[in-house]
Amino acid sequence: MPQRLIRKLEHFVRLSGGDKLALQGLAQKVRAVGAHEDIIREGDNPLHVNLILEGWACRYKQLADGRRQIISFFVPGDLCDPHVFVLRQMDHSIGSLTPLRFAQIPREALLGVTDRHPRITRALWWETLVTAAVQREWTVNIGQRSALERMAHLLCELFIRLRCVGLSEGNSCPLPVTQTELADATGLTSVHVNRTLQEMRSAGLIVLRSKTLTIPDPAALQKVALFDADYLHLEHEGAHLDANEPEELPNGSTPGTSGAAWTHGGGGSGTQHG
Amino acid sequence: MPQRLIRKLEHFVRLSGGDKLALQGLAQKVRAVGAHEDIIREGDNPLHVNLILEGWACRYKQLADGRRQIISFFVPGDLCDPHVFVLRQMDHSIGSLTPLRFAQIPREALLGVTDRHPRITRALWWETLVTAAVQREWTVNIGQRSALERMAHLLCELFIRLRCVGLSEGNSCPLPVTQTELADATGLTSVHVNRTLQEMRSAGLIVLRSKTLTIPDPAALQKVALFDADYLHLEHEGAHLDANEPEELPNGSTPGTSGAAWTHGGGGSGTQHG
DNA sequence: CGCACTCTTGACGAGTTTCAATGTAAGTGG
DNA sequence: CCACTTACATTGAAACTCGTCAAGAGTGCG
């Protein structure tokens, strides 16, 4: 089931067959919820690590007066806080943005796997550190970039992350969130997000309709976003592996499209849905 | 040497004498630099974990056009990325804000200690997760709060963090940074930081002169900041322990001042410099 | 004593928010 | 199949926060 997670981790380490089997075993308890439901709430005592299988979710925090900040997005293959058990209670909430399928991984299951699979341990470390790096980049993004740059940067990041788990197709990927949610994530108002998106559209930077984002000219979008993919740390040896393919690369022509334009080794294109 | 680190960690776990000795041993290679020097630069390959002993530093990132965002502050007792070795290269820089003394801890030294001291391992976990929580809170802060709320929130956070390592005195603590640096941290301009600070001064929320911050009415400042200390996760059993005191609490009257006003268990007041 | 850095203040303008209305698309139920 | 509802996107006008530019005052240090 956790194909997306496996695929993502292989951007960093090369997993053995046994490693992959162990990861498969983690997704025992699968739950499904509708859109706009909380999975964990601020103040709760965390009991398991959630692995997103299908749909989007987000980390968010709400201020006393109702203002809401989306702190990060979760897409398929993402783990919510692998090491959360150290803390007594959640300092933020996690909620679904779309209908969601996710696995609840008990603490012991995760420990069991990492005890026996050092490569997985390393890979989850990498996952955790990249998540932290993304968080830092969001600080930079919200703190320094203009609305236009900010939206562009967010879209660049989301596209690459989706491509890493095989959810992009050419220069397109799903973007199943409302403008209000984009606003909560960027620290703008929904009205201004709307205007910003239209500006990006009329500049030919993006095509966005029916929840599908297309980026006609990746280099151009990255340029206005001052986007530098280094913080996603995709430079490692597994970067070119496709989890669904045999271990040996087909070699020669790249299976996907537009690889180098995005980052050193982003991996090939994937197929929508899996 | 790393009294401040020990003191901070004891807000989470109770360390044994052996634990403390082991932590002492980490600060072998001590370095000193002046203000405004880089300790590590974006792109560098990290070779050790830095432990701040004296002075302030910051994590920052610079955009291509020169805009700079300070991503986090480091104060005495703070560790810079205990697990950074997993990644190939730094995605941000760390630089001193004041003259700085810090220890460079080699990877093996850290591993050696954590292998033999499970309590320290847990405590460093806690440290790491709190750092991540702080980063999330900064996202909320910059994304949702007005200039006034934002500055107030930052000052609340810094005061508590300094108090946790014994660097506060009553309602005062050092604040050895320029308004330009506060601006880079909050995503404002130095001009606007200046006006915001003056507004806070004339509202009686803060006293700030010669790099010393005093908060006459903590509750009031927290209120305008919409500040909730939960994200600092200071609620654990060691919260009332003072590393420099005997293990038994004096009981009865709290040794410090203004405890409850700040958070459930912030620890007593400390003495400037140690 | 003078230079450099930091803080402070004013005037002005741009970017963004707020408020409010309208448009559009996709259900739902009769 | 059509009124009714709900959610989301779009638009305009006015207000305001905050940024920009520029100059002057304060402070510390060599």
Side-chain angles (χ1 to χ4, degrees):
Chain A
M1 206 57 90
Q3 296 312 331
R4 319 244 89 115
L5 173 62
I6 291 172
R7 181 158 184 169
K8 180 170 64 168
L9 295 184
E10 286 197 318
H11 282 270
F12 176 63
V13 293
R14 193 159 188 150
L15 300 172
S16 73
D19 291 336
K20 294 183 196 177
L21 270 175
L23 284 172
Q24 308 271 5
L26 286 179
Q28 300 291 349
K29 190 160 65 167
V30 174
R31 280 189 54 197
V33 298
H36 313 295
E37 291 185 31
D38 280 340
I39 296 177
I40 316 178
R41 215 160 286 171
E42 186 170 347
D44 284 0
N45 179 7
L47 295 175
H48 16 242
V49 171
N50 296 304
L51 166 61
I52 310 295
L53 300 174
E54 232 174 279
W56 285 35
C58 72
R59 224 194 274 280
Y60 72 91
K61 221 164 162 170
Q62 198 127 11
L63 298 186
D65 61 3
R67 280 175 282 178
R68 179 174 90 140
Q69 175 72 36
I70 290 181
I71 298 168
S72 56
F73 286 116
F74 292 116
V75 302
D78 282 342
L79 278 166
C80 309
D81 309 299
H83 311 101
V84 73
F85 305 116
V86 174
L87 299 178
R88 232 215 274 275
Q89 59 171 26
M90 296 292 292
D91 54 47
H92 61 270
S93 302
I94 297 180
S96 63
L97 293 169
T98 69
L100 194 68
R101 287 202 329 119
F102 64 102
Q104 295 184 315
I105 306 174
R107 173 182 204 167
E108 308 75 40
L110 201 56
L111 287 177
V113 167
T114 51
D115 276 357
R116 272 173 280 114
H117 298 267
R119 264 185 307 270
I120 293 181
T121 310
R122 262 182 68 80
L124 293 184
W125 266 112
W126 170 79
E127 223 263 343
T128 299
L129 294 179
V130 170
T131 301
V134 167
Q135 200 65 58
R136 288 192 294 266
E137 189 64 31
W138 277 44
T139 303
V140 178
N141 201 29
I142 299 177
Q144 296 299 324
R145 279 183 258 256
S146 70
L148 182 70
E149 296 164 344
R150 209 182 291 184
M151 272 303 309
H153 193 280
L154 177 60
L155 297 182
C156 285
E157 176 187 305
L158 288 173
F159 178 83
I160 291 189
R161 285 173 56 193
L162 288 166
R163 195 158 65 99
C164 284
V165 293
L167 284 171
S168 70
E169 189 144 5
N171 284 337
S172 299
C173 68
L175 191 73
V177 293
T178 65
Q179 295 183 353
T180 301
E181 286 157 348
L182 289 174
D184 286 347
T186 50
L188 302 167
T189 58
S190 63
V191 171
H192 203 60
V193 165
N194 183 285
R195 293 185 179 144
T196 304
L197 287 177
Q198 303 212 31
E199 192 182 341
M200 295 175 72
R201 278 193 263 243
S202 68
L205 290 169
I206 62 167
V207 178
L208 179 54
R209 52 166 190 268
S210 54
K211 305 293 180 196
T212 297
L213 168 70
T214 302
I215 304 172
D217 183 351
L221 189 63
Q222 289 184 75
K223 193 171 170 203
V224 317
L226 294 98
F227 184 86
D228 175 351
D230 285 355
Y231 74 99
L232 293 171
H233 294 276
L234 298 174
E235 72 282 344
H236 284 254
E237 56 272 25
H240 298 283
L241 276 183
D242 183 324
N244 302 316
E245 301 297 325
E247 302 265 296
E248 212 60 71
L249 261 183
N251 194 345
S253 65
T254 57
T257 72
S258 74
W262 278 104
T263 175
H264 330 302
S269 76
T271 48
Q272 208 83 322
H273 222 88
Chain B
M1 207 55 91
Q3 295 312 330
R4 320 243 88 117
L5 173 62
I6 291 171
R7 180 157 185 169
K8 181 170 63 168
L9 295 184
E10 286 196 318
H11 281 270
F12 176 64
V13 293
R14 195 160 187 149
L15 299 171
S16 73
D19 292 336
K20 294 181 195 177
L21 270 175
L23 285 171
Q24 309 271 4
L26 286 178
Q28 300 290 348
K29 190 158 67 167
V30 173
R31 282 188 53 197
V33 298
H36 312 297
E37 290 185 33
D38 280 341
I39 296 177
I40 316 178
R41 215 158 286 171
E42 185 170 347
D44 284 359
N45 180 8
L47 295 174
H48 17 242
V49 171
N50 296 303
L51 166 61
I52 310 296
L53 300 172
E54 232 174 279
W56 285 34
C58 73
R59 225 194 273 279
Y60 71 91
K61 219 163 166 172
Q62 196 128 11
L63 298 186
D65 61 4
R67 279 175 282 177
R68 179 174 89 139
Q69 175 72 37
I70 290 180
I71 297 168
S72 56
F73 286 116
F74 292 116
V75 302
D78 281 342
L79 278 165
C80 309
D81 309 298
H83 311 101
V84 74
F85 305 118
V86 174
L87 299 179
R88 233 215 272 277
Q89 59 171 26
M90 297 291 292
D91 54 48
H92 60 271
S93 302
I94 297 181
S96 63
L97 293 168
T98 69
L100 195 68
R101 287 202 329 117
F102 64 102
Q104 296 183 315
I105 306 174
R107 174 185 203 163
E108 308 74 41
L110 201 57
L111 287 177
V113 167
T114 51
D115 276 355
R116 272 174 282 113
H117 298 268
R119 266 185 306 270
I120 293 182
T121 309
R122 261 182 69 78
L124 292 184
W125 266 113
W126 170 79
E127 223 264 343
T128 300
L129 293 179
V130 170
T131 301
V134 168
Q135 199 64 57
R136 288 192 294 265
E137 189 64 33
W138 278 44
T139 303
V140 179
N141 201 29
I142 300 177
Q144 296 299 325
R145 280 183 257 255
S146 70
L148 182 70
E149 295 164 343
R150 210 183 291 183
M151 272 303 309
H153 193 280
L154 177 61
L155 296 181
C156 286
E157 176 186 306
L158 287 172
F159 178 84
I160 292 191
R161 285 173 56 192
L162 289 166
R163 195 159 64 101
C164 284
V165 292
L167 284 171
S168 70
E169 189 144 5
N171 284 337
S172 299
C173 68
L175 190 72
V177 294
T178 66
Q179 294 183 354
T180 301
E181 287 156 347
L182 290 174
D184 286 346
T186 50
L188 302 166
T189 60
S190 63
V191 171
H192 203 64
V193 165
N194 183 284
R195 295 188 172 127
T196 303
L197 287 176
Q198 304 214 29
E199 191 182 342
M200 294 174 73
R201 278 194 264 244
S202 69
L205 290 169
I206 61 167
V207 178
L208 179 54
R209 53 167 188 266
S210 55
K211 306 293 181 196
T212 296
L213 168 70
T214 302
I215 305 172
D217 183 351
L221 189 63
Q222 290 183 74
K223 193 170 170 202
V224 317
L226 294 98
F227 183 86
D228 175 351
D230 285 355
Y231 73 100
L232 293 170
H233 294 276
L234 298 173
E235 72 281 343
H236 284 253
E237 56 272 26
H240 298 283
L241 276 183
D242 183 323
N244 302 315
E245 301 298 323
E247 303 266 296
E248 211 59 72
L249 261 182
N251 194 344
S253 65
T254 57
T257 72
S258 72
W262 278 105
T263 175
H264 331 302
S269 77
T271 49
Q272 207 82 322
H273 221 87

